[in-house]
Amino acid sequence: MLIHIPQVLSQQVVKNLRTVLENAGQAWVDGRVSAGYQGAPVKSNEQIDEQSSVAHECQSIIAAALESNPLFISAALPNALYPPMFNRYGEGMGFGLHVDGGIRLHPHDGRKFRTDLSATLFLSDPESYAGGELHIQDTYGTHSAKLPAGDMVLYPSTSLHKVTPVTQGVRLACFTWVQSLVRDDGDRTLLFELDNAIQQLNITNADSQARSALVGTYHNLLRKWSDV
Ligand code: NI
């Protein structure tokens, strides 16, 4: 399931983040440092050094915003969030077709982290750059995302995806991965749809006994499918 999560960050927070990142100087490094053998030859961008103080400062802002976003929680069912990373594509830069590595090493303690979901949070206004679209392939075809600053797209890490070359301006973004409580995208999607239906029934004040039964079913499926 591919999902658009609007307004993860307010415009003021986006503006502050952009200022911090634009002044990060030496913390910007070649994006290929985090790419595997498949990604490196097709990757052309810059990213903030994961160990830098700028990275830590910005990571906590993103993590706090995601932890308090009900749509993100419902769709991703996060068990752990990879410390968010930040990249920029100047003119002529892009990232060819690839699948993100299945297992990453956590930058803080080296433990293995399974990437179930990939996320891109757009930080540049879409009008401020040309190109730089995120293309994501799934069984229904290719989807293109170039979202307003502060919005996020969340998609299964199993998807082939690419960033088309930026032809004008600069594309600044945050990206991260989620290790989900429910690793299978189909199972997670069913839970998300069930949760949405329950929320809708709550709004319309539907029969409370039936709602309780559905909430029970939701939790029993979550218990059955989750690994913690
Ligand atoms: Ni990728």
Side-chain angles (χ1 to χ4, degrees), residues 8 61-70 72-73 81 84 121 152 176:
V8 171
I61 294 168
I62 306 290
L66 290 175
E67 280 160 17
S68 62
N69 188 299
F72 171 76
I73 300 290
L81 181 74
L121 203 173
M152 173 180 263
T176 188

Side-chain angles (χ1 to χ4, degrees), residues 1-150:
M1 177 184 59
L2 185 148
I3 183 165
H4 170 189
I5 303 180
Q7 294 168 15
V8 171
L9 302 175
S10 71
Q11 289 311 297
Q12 189 56 51
V13 172
V14 169
K15 219 172 138 187
N16 295 347
L17 274 173
R18 274 205 302 249
T19 303
V20 171
L21 292 169
E22 280 161 7
N23 292 300
Q26 299 295 314
W28 285 106
V29 297
D30 189 320
R32 283 173 295 188
V33 293
S34 65
Y37 74 92
Q38 176 206 209
V42 293
K43 186 174 186 182
S44 166
N45 68 4
E46 295 170 296
Q47 65 194 36
I48 292 284
D49 178 358
E50 285 185 271
Q51 306 294 349
S52 66
S53 58
V54 173
H56 294 153
E57 178 186 343
C58 297
Q59 281 165 355
S60 55
I61 294 168
I62 306 290
L66 290 175
E67 280 160 17
S68 62
N69 188 299
L71 183 55
F72 171 76
I73 300 290
S74 175
L77 295 172
N79 188 7
L81 181 74
Y82 191 87
M85 296 172 71
F86 301 87
N87 61 16
R88 72 177 174 195
Y89 295 79
E91 283 178 27
M93 293 182 175
F95 196 166
L97 209 59
H98 66 282
V99 168
D100 295 340
I103 301 287
R104 301 191 69 85
L105 298 181
H106 197 285
H108 298 165
D109 56 18
R111 77 189 145 91
K112 294 185 178 68
F113 183 101
R114 191 187 65 237
T115 56
D116 295 320
L117 290 152
S118 300
T120 294
L121 203 173
F122 291 77
L123 295 175
S124 295
D125 289 319
E127 301 78 27
S128 69
Y129 61 98
E133 290 170 5
L134 175 62
H135 286 182
I136 303 159
Q137 295 183 6
D138 67 12
T139 47
Y140 300 108
T142 299
H143 307 272
S144 175
K146 185 172 180 176
L147 302 179

